[in-house]
Amino acid sequence: IEPALNEVGRRWHAGEASIDQEHFTSAFLRARLAAMFMAYSAQGDEPMILAACPTGEWHEIGLLMVCLFLARRGQPVRYLGANLPAHELAVLAETLQPALIILSAQSAATAEHLIAALQAVQRLRPRSPRCAYGGWVFTMQPELRARTPGTFLGTDARAAAAVVRQLLRPSSDEEPTRAGQLLP
């Protein structure tokens, strides 16, 4: 799916594909991925993940693929979709206390919203969740990673899911609780 999406995006930018072709392809793939994600959604004892795109970001397919890879392995993921305001993410993080929050941005403008959202989450006390992020802009402009709190997940969905699994492994000084959350 990723190579197909990249090719459609490349063709649209080059004027070889129309916006309606790009939108149709994206809508078709988003619907299929969402159906598969719902089929695999888990509610186990594993640590919960919140996943979203920040304010202004509507390109969610890459993040949805990461969530699908995680759900297929039994990881509980609350997929919140596109255009989630930072203050809403902070409220959810405080209420649900996920082990990890994943955000995705594709442009420099939405990367700034992503950075602000992760900074807001990291200010939560007494325990802020781990944070991770990804998206095209962080691959094309790696200098943004230095200003972004959390862990960069890599350049593709499969690699991102592997990094997430590593992040959620308890270290020797952490023990999982009954709810699957990690205690410091």
Side-chain angles (χ1 to χ4, degrees):
I1 292 173
E2 281 178 313
L5 283 172
N6 289 336
E7 182 62 18
V8 168
R10 185 199 66 73
R11 288 182 184 193
W12 177 73
H13 282 288
E16 299 168 4
S18 64
I19 191 70
D20 61 299
Q21 291 171 322
E22 188 274 336
H23 280 209
F24 175 80
T25 303
S26 296
F28 177 83
L29 292 174
R30 184 182 310 106
R32 296 297 188 258
L33 289 168
M36 287 189 288
F37 173 72
M38 294 306 291
Y40 285 106
S41 289
Q43 298 295 323
D45 288 338
E46 297 294 317
M48 185 200 350
I49 298 170
L50 292 181
C53 294
T55 300
E57 183 58 69
W58 295 98
H59 296 89
E60 61 184 316
I61 294 176
L63 180 61
L64 186 54
M65 284 192 296
V66 173
C67 292
L68 173 59
F69 288 142
L70 293 167
R72 284 179 50 192
R73 292 187 175 263
Q75 188 71 52
V77 179
R78 294 248 180 126
Y79 177 69
L80 305 171
N83 194 35
L84 185 71
H87 68 278
E88 295 293 333
L89 179 64
V91 168
L92 281 169
E94 196 164 39
T95 303
L96 299 176
Q97 297 186 344
L100 179 68
I101 292 177
I102 302 172
L103 296 181
S104 176
Q106 304 307 314
S107 71
T110 57
E112 295 303 325
H113 292 293
L114 181 149
I115 292 167
L118 291 180
Q119 288 170 339
V121 165
Q122 290 191 330
R123 287 191 294 269
L124 295 175
R125 299 288 180 243
R127 182 184 166 279
S128 60
R130 288 183 168 152
C131 296
Y133 63 92
W136 184 83
V137 69
F138 296 103
T139 299
M140 304 294 17
Q141 298 177 25
E143 65 277 6
L144 281 173
R145 295 182 213 161
R147 296 190 303 112
T148 307
T151 302
F152 176 64
L153 294 176
T155 59
D156 66 73
R158 194 172 302 276
V163 172
V164 167
R165 288 191 299 275
Q166 285 294 114
L167 287 172
L168 293 177
R169 283 204 178 122
S171 66
S172 60
D173 61 336
E174 295 176 327
E175 292 183 30
T177 67
R178 275 189 328 152
Q181 303 223 344
L182 301 176
L183 296 175

